[in-house]
Amino acid sequence: MLHKIAVLIGRHTAPFELGVVCEVFGVDRSDDGLPVFDFAVCSQHAEPLPWTGGLSLSTRHRLEHAADADLIAIPGGYLPNEQPTAEPILETLRAAVDRGAYVLSVCTGAFVLAEAGILAGRAATTHWHHLERFRARYPDIEIEPDKLYVQDGPVITSAGTAAGIDACLHLVRTELGASVANGIARRMVVPPHRDGGQAQFVDTPVPHAPTEDDTIAALLEWVPAHLNLRLSVEDLATRAHMSERTFARRFTKATGTTPARWIAGQRVLLAQRLLEDGELDVERIATRCGFPSAELLRHHFTQIVGTTPSRYRRQFRRAG
């Protein structure tokens, strides 16, 4: 389960990257029926840390507080790993992975995970601006430059700040289900799900937000309510009054992914909600979600969620 979350900060932690983790896990949303996390920001020493703009940051918790955390998060900083990270922080990260806890980095926090040695033999990502620096410093780590976030075992790395939100919500969805992730996203007014495989650098980083392309924005609003329809690229292009080639190009430019991949993700999100909340069998869920067959639902569901619909239902179906 995902209950105790610790964020480790150092001298160069960026406020926005820290705020991402605090906003997802540190806000009490129990009035919406959402879980309350045991959340703490931890530092090595009690002395205040210098921050940007003349601010300073002090924490009540030391690194020992993270010793039994279910998740340890490392926010990014302005200068990725220009100075060696304190060994106690690195050791805390190694110990977390050794005991099976999750470790998640936001933006350039991946440099700290690499320094700790826990990315060895794993796939990872970081902000596109620092990819070449990362490759030069850690040539043996498999870096995936076009991903918003990458999970490899218990280690999750994310790209820029918005991708850190995606990575956190991905973990919530994995451990606590789509309903909880959607509830947190709704309160944050962000999309509940962006596939980690989406491109980092797109004109519209948040697909559900208004885009400069009003036609694509309208489709992004319309599609989730009509997932039971066929929704081929040809159908959507016709609805948008475009050629298929023009539509595919403009959709990918606006969202960072292909129409088919985005729609499959939306259908799987709906399937997750139906598996959690209802008693429909997989065949009827496939029909409701627009999959031609239960087998195709199982294929896409397993590919995106990492488990089968039946296993997901056993783990996440709501009692009562």
Side-chain angles (χ1 to χ4, degrees):
M1 291 295 292
L2 188 64
H3 176 64
K4 184 173 182 178
I5 289 89
V7 187
L8 306 189
I9 64 170
R11 292 180 58 85
H12 299 294
T13 299
F16 202 173
E17 279 72 4
L18 173 60
V20 162
V21 188
C22 292
E23 181 67 21
V24 175
F25 296 109
V27 176
D28 184 342
R29 301 182 177 94
S30 56
D31 56 333
D32 281 345
L34 297 170
V36 178
F37 298 100
D38 179 354
F39 178 83
V41 179
C42 309
S43 58
Q44 184 180 2
H45 303 295
E47 293 77 12
L49 294 166
W51 244 18
T52 183
L55 297 173
S56 62
L57 179 66
S58 60
T59 67
R60 290 186 297 167
H61 300 283
R62 308 281 74 80
L63 300 181
E64 292 77 13
H65 185 82
D68 60 347
D70 304 309
L71 164 67
I72 294 180
I74 299 290
Y78 295 112
L79 300 173
N81 202 21
E82 290 296 337
Q83 296 178 342
T85 303
E87 182 59 30
I89 293 177
L90 301 180
E91 183 54 40
T92 300
L93 293 170
R94 297 184 195 111
V97 173
D98 287 345
R99 61 184 168 80
Y102 285 107
V103 171
L104 182 150
S105 66
V106 179
C107 196
T108 54
F111 282 78
V112 179
L113 305 193
E115 190 179 359
I118 61 177
L119 293 183
R122 302 182 190 274
T125 194
T126 190
H127 194 288
W128 62 267
H129 186 70
H130 300 288
L131 285 171
E132 293 309 314
R133 182 183 297 190
F134 191 97
R135 286 191 178 108
R137 187 169 294 172
Y138 305 107
D140 296 332
I141 295 175
E142 179 187 350
I143 195 75
E144 300 193 15
D146 293 327
K147 300 293 182 67
L148 291 179
Y149 56 88
V150 173
Q151 178 173 1
D152 194 328
V155 181
I156 303 170
T157 51
S158 62
T161 305
I165 299 174
D166 298 317
C168 290
L169 291 176
H170 161 75
L171 181 55
V172 171
R173 186 179 305 105
T174 299
E175 286 294 317
L176 301 176
S179 293
V180 175
N182 292 350
I184 294 174
R186 190 176 302 113
R187 284 282 293 267
M188 293 178 64
V189 197
V190 298
H193 176 68
R194 289 201 296 167
D195 183 8
Q198 288 184 213
Q200 285 192 30
F201 192 70
V202 295
D203 287 354
T204 307
V206 182
H208 287 304
T211 78
E212 294 180 3
D213 192 326
D214 292 339
T215 303
I216 299 301
L219 274 175
L220 294 176
E221 294 294 328
W222 180 83
V223 167
H226 298 85
L227 291 171
N228 60 308
L229 302 180
R230 182 167 173 261
L231 299 182
S232 67
V233 174
E234 179 183 3
D235 297 329
L236 294 177
T238 299
R239 182 176 180 83
H241 306 291
M242 303 178 195
S243 69
E244 290 184 46
R245 178 178 295 182
T246 299
F247 172 75
R249 175 178 56 79
R250 285 172 59 174
F251 191 96
T252 302
K253 181 180 180 181
T255 66
T257 191
T258 65
R261 185 169 186 170
W262 187 81
I263 290 170
Q266 294 298 306
R267 285 177 164 150
V268 167
L269 275 176
L270 176 57
Q272 287 177 280
R273 293 195 291 271
L274 294 174
L275 288 166
E276 291 180 12
D277 297 337
E279 298 294 335
L280 295 177
D281 58 34
V282 174
E283 287 73 16
R284 293 175 67 188
I285 288 175
T287 300
R288 287 276 298 275
C289 296
F291 288 109
S293 67
E295 188 58 36
L296 199 57
L297 165 60
R298 292 186 183 96
H299 168 77
H300 285 287
F301 196 97
T302 302
Q303 190 175 59
I304 293 173
V305 182
T307 188
T308 65
S310 58
R311 288 177 181 170
Y312 184 89
R313 167 169 270 168
R314 284 196 297 271
Q315 184 172 2
F316 295 117
R317 185 164 64 179
R318 293 182 179 183

